[in-house]
Amino acid sequence: MPIGNVPVGGGAVLGDVVVTQPSGGDFRGFSSTCTHLGCTVSDVTGGTINCPCHGSRFNLDGSVHTGPASVPLAPRSVSVQGDSVVIG
């Protein structure tokens, strides 16, 4: 995924992984599976990772912002290689 697809203060959902960039150059990866009932999060807007099923929202560090989820998103390994964020 090109670094430009992951805005500072935001993120992007790519299949089963969410990549966020809470601050410039700080890329983080998480499972896109909501910890409430297993729905797939839909987007990263307004500074949160959002689940469309029951309204759970997660902070850009994967922690719970608003429930009903009570457990953070599972971390996934991401790294920067050149101009790309690489998953795994």
Side-chain angles (χ1 to χ4, degrees), residues 22-42:
S23 60
D26 178 20
F27 292 91
R28 300 182 186 201
F30 306 96
S31 168
S32 64
T33 302
C34 180
T35 57
H36 175 235
L37 289 177
C39 291
T40 300
V41 298
S42 60

Side-chain angles (χ1 to χ4, degrees), residues 36-75:
H36 175 235
L37 289 177
C39 291
T40 300
V41 298
S42 60
D43 59 46
V44 183
T45 55
T48 59
I49 304 163
N50 307 301
C51 182
C53 294
H54 302 104
S56 291
R57 293 176 16 191
F58 300 87
N59 296 307
L60 299 180
D61 66 1
S63 63
V64 176
H65 180 278
T66 306
S70 61
V71 177
L73 293 173

